[in-house]
Amino acid sequence: MECRVCGGTDWQEVVSFGLVPLANGFLDPADSYDDEPYYPLGVISCRSCRLLSVTHVVDPEILYRDYPYVTSDSDTITRHMRYVAETCRERFALPPDGLVVEIGSNTGAQLVAFRDAGMRTLGVDPARNLARVAADRGIETLPDFFSAETARSVAEGYGRARLILARHVFAHIDHVAGVVTGARELLSPEGVFAIEVPYALDLFEQNAFDTIYHEHLSYFSVGTLVSLFARHGMRVFDVERLPVHGGSILVFVGRDDGPWAPRPSVEELLRLERRAELHSDAVYRDFALNVDRVRDELPALVRRLAAEGKRIAGYGASAKGNTILNVCGLGPEELEFCSDTTTLKQGKVLPGTHVPVRSPEYAKAHAPDYYLLLAWNYSDEIIRKESAFLNGGGRFIRPIPKPVIISADSL
Ligand code: TMP
Ligand code: ZN
């Protein structure tokens, strides 16, 4: 495999999970599970540019045309999207009638915040099922992958963009060169490309190995992003580290002929990455050991509780949760069901483990003794929301960075 940043072909293994099904490959219980697809899953590091990449790239046509992941309407994410909109509008003095294009716009939730401020918006997303939902709320959406060609036709049809957003989609893209050159062409000279990706430093520091699944092709550091954009006539000029999705960076990129001078944040994070020796053998090795520890300790804990007669269910049928269950070998033997607020997932079964997904109402009526907190990135919000469960003696098992039990007493 060629490195999607530098073209290198010499890779170092970081972790390997064997064959794993797709994290958003929810199945209908009426279907046969016999031909459920499994693909190799692991992370490797490019020896020339240190891009961290998934080992096997699944065809995006399979992954994204009919997509069950709906942008979260949790308080955490709603607040965050509002923050992104306000930050961009204020910091980059976006004109009221300027064009904002969002790559991977999902149901349009982020663009609504710009439209409500009077800006022109356009979503681009290959998921046909979601583009319809977005259109219904008045967010025009091209049901396609973003590429250099898409960028050109958007520029012809709508003019240049003042802002291009790519929140939690950039790491899903294989042909990054095409997307970056396309974005550069579509941007007006003073335009800004804002991307938000899970942060490689958090992957290691928080042991967030569940962010590894087939959709996430790259695990970016600021260093890799700086060198990627420099290859395509663009410049990373500002970076913010955020707790969203278990640890992310919001990276602002401008054209190298544009007005945006680098802020100290870029050098600060590059320094932090150097100090952490992010891409050293020692960091990779410790990560693999920490992952193995969860793979040992989590099933042991869950099985001990089950053997004591405790009833256990999953909380949040997140894509990352499916990595945890499949990689740790947990399934219907241990989990009665998995609660999730997404109607598209309810009534289906989880990929690989085939644990049934149920609504929060069902979960309330069948409350277990323990919830395995698969959506641990929303811990604070969920603990607040589930105070009655906790006060009634219910407990959560938070799997990452290492398994811990959360009870009303421990809070
Ligand atoms: P995400 O981390 O990719 O946003 O996925 C989180 C999943 O967890 C998503 O399917 C929605 C679900 N969820 C709940 O079921 N209850 C909750 O309170 C929250 C915050 C998320
Ligand atoms: Zn490389």
Side-chain angles (χ1 to χ4, degrees):
M1 186 168 77
E2 266 185 26
C3 172
R4 67 185 65 83
V5 168
C6 79
T9 52
D10 189 10
W11 298 93
Q12 173 179 1
E13 182 178 302
V14 180
V15 282
S16 173
F17 298 139
L19 293 172
V20 178
L22 299 176
N24 276 311
F26 293 85
L27 303 165
D28 201 308
D31 293 345
S32 154
Y33 305 146
D34 294 346
D35 49 4
E36 182 173 13
Y38 277 66
Y39 303 90
L41 181 66
V43 170
I44 48 182
S45 170
C46 171
R47 286 194 201 270
S48 356
C49 79
R50 284 315 190 184
L51 174 73
L52 292 158
S53 170
V54 79
T55 42
H56 180 88
V57 177
V58 177
D59 181 355
E61 291 285 340
I62 296 174
L63 293 175
Y64 301 116
R65 284 300 187 184
D66 182 25
Y67 195 47
Y69 178 72
V70 175
T71 302
S72 171
D73 61 359
S74 62
D75 294 346
T76 313
I77 297 297
T78 306
R79 218 176 318 117
H80 174 63
M81 289 193 300
R82 225 175 287 138
Y83 170 80
V84 170
E86 277 164 25
T87 302
C88 292
R89 286 183 36 238
E90 284 166 15
R91 217 175 273 179
F92 310 130
L94 301 178
D97 59 344
L99 175 67
V100 183
V101 175
E102 186 177 16
I103 305 174
S105 48
N106 202 273
T107 55
Q110 173 72 76
L111 283 177
V112 165
F114 289 94
R115 182 200 54 193
D116 290 351
M119 297 193 69
R120 290 187 298 133
T121 64
L122 178 69
V124 183
D125 196 301
R128 298 185 179 112
N129 61 319
L130 301 180
R132 275 194 298 271
V133 179
D136 286 347
R137 60 163 28 142
I139 297 293
E140 186 181 356
T141 305
L142 302 181
D144 222 333
F145 292 96
F146 187 88
S147 64
E149 293 83 70
T150 330
R152 225 162 288 137
S153 75
V154 170
E156 277 163 23
Y158 301 80
R160 295 281 184 84
R162 282 299 295 257
L163 179 69
I164 301 178
L165 285 166
R167 288 196 48 247
H168 293 281
V169 65
F170 198 72
H172 299 233
I173 294 167
D174 196 14
H175 299 294
V176 284
V179 167
V180 172
T181 44
R184 191 185 190 285
E185 270 181 51
L186 175 56
L187 279 182
S188 60
E190 72 284 9
V192 174
F193 188 17
I195 67 171
E196 188 180 308
V197 285
Y199 189 24
L201 198 58
D202 288 308
L203 169 67
F204 296 142
E205 286 185 348
Q206 304 203 46
N207 197 26
F209 72 88
D210 54 344
T211 192
I212 300 170
Y213 48 91
H214 297 100
E215 293 178 19
H216 288 163
L217 306 183
S218 305
Y219 304 82
F220 288 112
S221 58
V222 176
T224 330
L225 287 168
V226 164
S227 71
L228 165 66
F229 283 102
R231 283 167 189 272
H232 298 286
M234 297 190 83
R235 185 162 55 217
V236 172
F237 67 89
D238 200 4
V239 189
E240 274 180 48
R241 210 175 163 182
L242 299 159
V244 189
H245 288 304
S248 303
I249 38 175
L250 178 57
V251 181
F252 298 107
V253 189
R255 289 168 47 150
D256 55 7
D257 58 355
W260 305 107
R263 296 189 180 206
S265 57
V266 182
E267 192 45 52
E268 277 162 21
L269 280 171
L270 289 174
R271 211 177 307 127
L272 186 69
E273 291 176 5
R274 278 195 300 272
R275 255 204 322 263
E277 298 186 60
L278 183 59
H279 293 294
S280 63
D281 288 354
V283 167
Y284 291 173
R285 201 176 42 235
D286 285 351
F287 175 58
L289 288 172
N290 290 336
V291 172
D292 279 347
R293 194 166 307 147
V294 175
R295 291 176 85 176
D296 289 340
E297 286 179 11
L298 183 64
L301 170 64
V302 168
R303 290 196 185 115
R304 177 171 65 73
L305 294 170
E308 288 170 7
K310 300 288 193 271
R311 293 178 46 237
I312 309 166
Y315 198 107
S318 55
K320 48 168 71 70
N322 287 322
T323 291
I324 296 183
L325 297 180
N326 284 305
V327 163
C328 294
L330 291 167
E333 299 269 296
E334 294 84 13
L335 304 184
E336 262 179 48
F337 60 88
C338 183
S339 163
D340 197 284
T341 49
T342 318
T343 44
L344 280 176
K345 295 180 183 175
Q346 293 162 6
K348 303 241 167 143
V349 301
L350 301 183
T353 61
H354 310 151
V355 172
V357 183
R358 300 287 182 233
S359 67
E361 294 72 35
Y362 175 98
K364 203 165 213 168
H366 300 81
D369 301 302
Y370 287 77
Y371 274 120
L372 176 56
L373 194 48
L374 296 170
W376 59 268
N377 47 318
Y378 300 105
S379 287
D380 294 348
E381 178 172 346
I382 291 171
I383 286 166
R384 236 179 292 127
K385 194 161 71 177
E386 297 296 344
S387 58
F389 168 74
L390 281 161
N391 291 332
R395 288 158 191 238
F396 284 100
I397 304 164
R398 183 182 158 130
I400 281 180
K402 63 177 191 219
V404 289
I405 291 175
I406 299 169
S407 65
D409 295 340
S410 73
L411 287 168

